[in-house]
Amino acid sequence: MPRLLTGNRVETGDVIWWTGDGWSLHLKDAIAVDDSGEALIAQFSPQERINDLALIDADPSDAGWRPRTTRERVRAVGPSVRPDFALPSIPVESI
Amino acid sequence: MYRYDEFDQAIVDARVAEFRDQVARRLNNEISEEAFKPLRLMNGIYLQLHAYMLRVAIPYGTLDSRQLHMLAHIARRYDRGYGHFTTRQNIQYNWMKLEEMPDLLADLASVEMHAFQTSGNCIRNISSDQFAAAAADEIADPRPYAELLRQWSTLHPEFSFLPRKFKIAVTGSTIDRAAIQLHDIGLELVHGAEGEIGLKVLVGGGMGRTPLLAHVIREFLPVADYLSYMEAILRVYNRHGRRDNIYKARIKILVNDLGPAEFARQVEEEWAALKPLGLDPPPSELARIAAHFQPPVLDADAPVEIDLSNPEFANWVAVNTHPHKVPGHAIVTISLKAPGEIPGDASADQMDLIADLAKAHAQDEIRVTHAQNLVLPHVRRDALFTIWQALKGAGLATANLDRASDIISCPGLDYCTLANARSIPIAQKLAVRLAPQEADLGELKIKISGCINGCGHHHAGHIGILGVDRKGEENYQLLLGGSGAEDASLAKILGPGFDENGIVTAVEKVIGRYQSLRSGPGERFLDTYRRVGAEPFKEAVYG
Amino acid sequence: MAESTLFRLRDDPQDSSWAHGDPAVPLDAYQAGGTAVRLEPGDDARALIPHLASLRRIDIAFPKFREGRGFSAARILREAGFAGEIRAVGVLYVDQLGFLVRAGFDAVLPEKPFDADVARATLARFPHVYMKAADTARPVWLLREERALAAR
Ligand code: SF4
């Protein structure tokens, strides 16, 4: 199952996704890190720039990545009760 | 209301400078997140699902218009134009940037506000009765006692690393609007034999995983020594409260394990050691604080009769106002629960409007209630229509106080990193479904939490809903029969849980059964439940 | 734990054996007359009250950050009149210095050394305190009372 690397930027708290050569605010830019995930966390943790680094499970879908848990879908899109803030990832209705 | 003197201001300003320094050290990588996290938590800053969240203390839920305008300014300048009023009478902002937080705290300090101890294992913001100084049923204004507690507990050197968080509520009335039986310490102002004021002390109440009602450990505590007595309670707890299991670390578990009598004995013993040390301020300090809470000068000849010919207005007056202790006046509750909206959320524009109304018509005071509404405590009845019109224009005139759509809801999985399930969408659906029949249902308190921590007070709901995780899916348990008022009781789980649509239907079935069972229109759901028990409702939902 | 991390707020000499080198014995190995003892979080500080005259140093352990019982232990010992060194030992951060000093500690042996500049700034941070504790700081209610009296 594809795994994505995510965390929160320390300065802003923004949810960010690993794109292979940097971080993006958008889930759609994420790449599957799969087996290299642990090594990336071990690389980034000591730098102390990203909080709550974590690997999450996601499935590919027509609309892009679909995280498996409600929690991660909410993190990726924004609060389901504020569609006006929804980030362009999966549709807010599909949380 | 209380105004800072230069000492109070200097302490709050020093805190801002301290945090500015701590944030700079974190952003420079001089300190790790592990070391920084407890520091930011002690300033009420959490990392939630989308961003940092800041919880601002609103001591005993009292604000003036200048402060509410500042909360609006913060919503605009640092957040996305809104804030969330919580069940602890505080406000939370959801979209905070750590790098902006020092400036934000400086803005707060400029109106005598702060985020001291709104998180962490310390003594949290002191809560109180939202109708203080206005309700006809009170012995005295509880807020001077709460303010002295605020000062005493601020940066307390012995009690900043307790086994767990610690919440104190103070009320001046036998009608309990502060849920004192569900706090770590509940204090109720009472009269002594000579008519002097003292405090009844309750300890060990709380919700969360092990909900318990508090025990009275002292019927009458002289106010001259109450701080040293608090010190004794906290010391017994700090030394003997469990630290091996976070779910057993609240004082309620210690009180329960020792038994209230033994706990009280240990407190008295500790108090005997502490009292002679001169920890209690002189009576002049309480008097100095109390002088800030002089009741407003209100015109007792203000007209009682007002024009109620507009039925919508008349209904709002009937539902959302309470009698004031001064004739011709009323206590107005502004509902932040328009059906379909997010419970407790207010936009910056709404905050500004309410602040302006408070300034013009309510002695410049606003209160935050634990039910996530706002209160204008001192309003002339002949100004009610003007206020109502202004509120209506801003979507704030919903007449649903204590009714089915006045639902308490924690932020749940839409914002909170600890959540198991979303709470707000359930509240929104239920409010929309139940609003049409709520006038017939009368008082009905529905409370929703997104996890066992119980920030939405589900155990104190006439109908409580608890979000749980069932194999990665959101699932909701239904609880019935709780109350956080003077007739406090803990709601009990009815049976197996439901999905999002199932829980809404289940609540509707419970309400349908209540309507067929109730003895008359005056019998509240809670009364019917207490009379008939859970069985008929189980049958209605699962039968 | 390197000895160099010791942060000391006393100005008496630290080179005597009791203050620096002597290993503090655990409470249950302590024998009357001993000069240094170590309290673990679950130990009752009051058990030492009969021995305060011979004790020169009491170490109080903070095995993890969330541990807070040592703050009560130190204050109890000061309330009982102990004037020797009370040393906080363990997982402690420089930002806790204000609390530690007010609770009665006058030395800290943290796991990681304190930055001296930050420590100085932390100790000087708050110009006033709200409550009496184990140090000599006078609470604001006392200052307010004095000011009110002076104004009369
Ligand atoms: S009850 Fe749980 S989900 Fe709700 S705000 Fe509290 S911690 Fe978060």
Side-chain angles (χ1 to χ4, degrees):
Chain A
M1 170 196 328
R3 295 166 93 196
L4 314 179
L5 176 61
T6 182
N8 296 75
R9 202 181 288 289
V10 64
E11 295 84 358
T12 58
D14 288 337
V15 175
I16 48 178
W17 304 90
W18 178 245
T19 66
D21 59 0
W23 296 93
S24 168
L25 293 172
H26 302 297
L27 172 69
K28 63 179 169 49
D29 301 332
I31 58 147
V33 295
D34 300 336
D35 293 343
S36 59
E38 309 291 346
L40 285 166
I41 290 182
Q43 176 192 336
F44 290 125
S45 285
Q47 297 173 8
E48 293 277 353
R49 306 316 297 163
I50 317 284
N51 290 338
D52 294 0
L53 283 162
L55 297 167
I56 65 131
D57 297 332
D59 297 307
S61 78
D62 292 346
W65 294 115
R66 182 178 163 79
R68 287 255 166 120
T69 64
T70 314
R71 181 181 196 276
E72 290 308 327
R73 290 195 293 276
V74 170
R75 270 186 85 242
V77 182
S80 69
V81 293
R82 291 301 299 251
D84 48 333
F85 298 147
L87 287 166
S89 53
I90 51 172
V92 67
E93 305 77 41
S94 77
I95 287 176
Chain B
M1 51 179 277
Y2 188 70
R3 296 302 303 261
Y4 285 3
D5 65 8
E6 75 263 31
F7 300 119
D8 300 303
Q9 192 67 50
I11 291 170
V12 170
D13 290 345
R15 177 62 143 183
V16 175
E18 177 185 51
F19 194 61
R20 195 178 288 284
D21 181 55
Q22 290 168 341
V23 169
R25 282 156 58 211
R26 174 68 187 99
L27 295 179
N28 291 337
N29 266 10
E30 278 170 55
I31 42 177
S32 65
E33 185 64 16
E34 187 198 358
F36 179 68
K37 188 173 173 184
L39 304 177
R40 67 166 156 81
L41 285 177
M42 293 191 98
N43 265 299
I45 298 163
Y46 294 71
L47 184 54
Q48 293 287 39
L49 289 181
H50 311 293
Y52 291 101
M53 180 270 273
L54 170 69
R55 184 179 296 146
V56 175
I58 301 179
Y60 32 90
T62 293
L63 292 165
D64 63 17
S65 62
R66 179 185 59 122
Q67 293 173 323
L68 187 52
H69 279 307
M70 178 56 79
L71 295 181
H73 163 76
I74 286 170
R76 277 194 199 95
R77 162 77 183 74
Y78 301 98
D79 199 276
R80 297 188 175 180
Y82 68 108
H84 176 75
F85 289 97
T86 75
T87 53
R88 293 276 308 148
Q89 300 178 296
N90 293 322
I91 187 170
Q92 292 177 179
Y93 295 102
N94 302 300
W95 303 93
M96 299 278 102
K97 297 191 187 333
L98 183 63
E99 54 197 5
E100 294 182 349
M101 216 75 81
D103 289 342
L104 187 163
L105 292 178
D107 282 355
L108 276 180
S110 74
V111 295
E112 304 171 26
M113 293 186 80
H114 60 75
F116 278 119
Q117 292 168 209
T118 52
S119 174
N121 293 331
C122 50
I123 302 168
R124 301 287 190 88
N125 187 37
I126 314 293
S127 56
S128 187
D129 181 355
Q130 69 264 19
F131 291 175
D137 49 56
E138 86 180 359
I139 283 182
D141 190 339
R143 293 172 302 164
Y145 303 91
E147 172 59 25
L148 189 52
L149 282 170
R150 181 191 76 82
Q151 298 191 15
W152 162 75
S153 60
T154 297
L155 299 173
H156 198 294
E158 188 176 339
F159 308 131
S160 291
F161 301 90
L162 296 167
R164 200 77 177 86
K165 57 190 169 182
F166 202 91
K167 300 174 179 179
I168 305 178
V170 196
T171 182
S173 170
T174 51
I175 307 291
D176 183 7
R177 288 170 289 258
I180 61 168
Q181 297 185 63
L182 290 165
H183 279 76
D184 295 293
I185 295 180
L187 298 172
E188 180 187 338
L189 296 181
V190 289
H191 282 307
E194 252 93 80
E196 78 282 20
I197 285 184
L199 294 157
K200 182 155 132 184
V201 183
L202 292 80
V203 173
M207 290 182 259
R209 185 169 297 236
T210 314
L212 288 168
L213 296 178
H215 299 273
V216 177
I217 61 161
R218 208 170 213 280
E219 290 289 346
F220 188 88
L221 177 66
V223 293
D225 312 310
Y226 82 104
L227 288 189
S228 53
Y229 192 84
M230 295 299 113
E231 198 114 7
I233 295 174
L234 266 296
R235 179 174 285 178
V236 170
Y237 170 55
N238 191 44
R239 299 185 74 208
H240 303 300
R242 286 184 62 173
R243 290 172 185 265
D244 57 332
N245 179 340
I246 188 174
Y247 299 113
K248 302 205 156 134
R250 295 289 288 268
I251 197 174
K252 62 192 172 188
I253 303 293
L254 179 65
V255 174
N256 211 46
D257 287 353
L258 291 175
E262 171 58 15
F263 179 82
R265 190 196 64 73
Q266 293 192 13
V267 169
E268 294 288 330
E269 193 175 286
E270 195 64 61
W271 192 36
L274 286 167
K275 202 157 55 157
L277 301 177
L279 304 175
D280 291 291
S284 59
E285 177 64 357
L286 192 56
R288 182 191 72 84
I289 293 172
H292 288 281
F293 293 94
Q294 285 304 316
V297 183
L298 301 176
D299 175 9
D301 296 326
V304 175
E305 295 304 324
I306 53 172
D307 179 1
L308 293 170
S309 56
N310 177 324
E312 202 186 334
F313 169 62
N315 181 50
W316 178 79
V317 171
V319 177
N320 279 37
T321 71
H322 280 80
H324 193 280
K325 61 167 93 170
V326 177
H329 290 75
I331 306 170
V332 170
T333 300
I334 300 169
S335 171
L336 299 179
K337 312 289 181 63
E341 299 293 328
I342 298 175
D345 274 17
S347 70
D349 291 347
Q350 289 177 325
M351 290 185 228
D352 276 336
L353 174 92
I354 293 167
D356 287 339
L357 289 173
K359 178 93 179 159
H361 302 291
Q363 306 290 325
D364 203 16
E365 264 198 54
I366 305 100
R367 310 282 174 76
V368 183
T369 82
H370 81 266
Q372 304 176 287
N373 292 315
L374 298 178
V375 164
L376 301 177
H378 312 291
V379 176
R380 279 175 69 106
R381 285 178 61 83
D382 58 11
L384 287 173
F385 190 72
T386 310
I387 291 175
W388 174 73
Q389 278 184 310
L391 291 174
K392 193 166 149 61
L396 290 167
T398 312
N400 63 351
L401 181 63
D402 293 337
R403 290 190 169 173
S405 65
D406 183 9
I407 298 175
I408 291 183
S409 170
C410 80
L413 192 53
D414 280 300
Y415 292 97
C416 176
T417 189
L418 299 173
N420 286 322
R422 284 173 288 170
S423 0
I424 298 167
I426 308 294
Q428 290 173 316
K429 279 188 191 161
L430 276 173
V432 169
R433 294 264 196 107
L434 298 176
Q437 40 171 336
E438 67 185 352
D440 171 61
L441 299 173
E443 183 183 295
L444 177 58
K445 299 188 179 180
I446 303 178
K447 308 190 181 192
I448 310 178
S449 304
C451 82
I452 193 74
N453 280 338
C455 304
H457 296 181
H458 60 277
H459 274 118
H462 298 181
I463 296 178
I465 296 171
L466 167 64
V468 294
D469 176 286
R470 217 181 58 181
K471 302 193 190 100
E473 298 292 324
E474 294 167 289
N475 193 265
Y476 298 91
Q477 290 182 342
L478 179 59
L479 298 88
L480 300 182
S483 166
E486 60 283 353
D487 61 352
S489 58
L490 298 164
K492 292 202 176 61
I493 293 180
L494 195 66
F498 306 88
D499 67 9
E500 186 175 340
N501 292 320
I503 188 72
V504 175
T505 314
V507 170
E508 288 183 312
K509 285 182 182 161
V510 164
I511 288 173
R513 181 56 60 97
Y514 153 65
Q515 284 171 307
S516 66
L517 285 172
R518 71 174 169 185
S519 61
E523 191 178 66
R524 301 175 304 166
F525 168 78
L526 183 63
D527 304 324
T528 305
Y529 175 84
R530 285 175 175 172
R531 182 168 57 77
V532 305
E535 267 324 305
F537 297 103
K538 242 181 226 168
E539 191 191 288
V541 173
Y542 302 102
Chain C
M1 262 180 244
E3 283 182 358
S4 59
T5 68
L6 180 65
F7 184 88
R8 213 159 167 269
L9 289 145
R10 297 176 72 89
D11 47 17
D12 55 355
Q14 62 159 293
D15 53 8
S16 60
S17 62
W18 58 267
H20 203 210
D22 254 16
V25 300
L27 181 62
D28 49 15
Y30 179 77
Q31 295 192 338
T35 57
V37 67
R38 175 184 169 100
L39 292 178
E40 296 301 326
D43 290 340
D44 179 8
R46 289 199 166 103
L48 291 176
I49 289 179
H51 308 289
L52 296 184
S54 34
L55 279 164
R56 314 282 301 271
R57 189 183 102 223
I58 300 171
D59 286 1
I60 297 178
F62 290 81
K64 52 180 192 201
F65 174 78
R66 290 168 60 95
E67 183 53 67
R69 282 173 282 188
F71 293 95
S72 287
R75 209 170 150 212
I76 284 168
L77 293 167
R78 293 298 183 210
E79 283 164 7
F82 183 63
E85 178 170 320
I86 303 184
R87 189 183 286 185
V89 179
V91 185
L92 294 152
Y93 294 119
V94 65
D95 298 276
Q96 290 173 288
L97 256 182
F99 295 126
L100 288 165
V101 168
R102 296 221 63 215
F105 290 96
D106 48 16
V108 189
L109 186 61
E111 213 178 31
K112 294 185 194 125
F114 289 171
D115 179 306
D117 290 338
V118 179
R120 208 172 307 117
T122 303
L123 287 170
R125 181 69 71 193
F126 287 95
H128 302 294
V129 297
Y130 276 123
M131 73 304 285
K132 262 195 186 172
D135 60 349
T136 54
R138 303 161 75 233
V140 292
W141 48 259
L142 209 57
L143 306 178
R144 285 166 175 152
E145 193 188 24
E146 285 170 3
R147 196 175 52 180
L149 285 174
R152 252 184 242 149

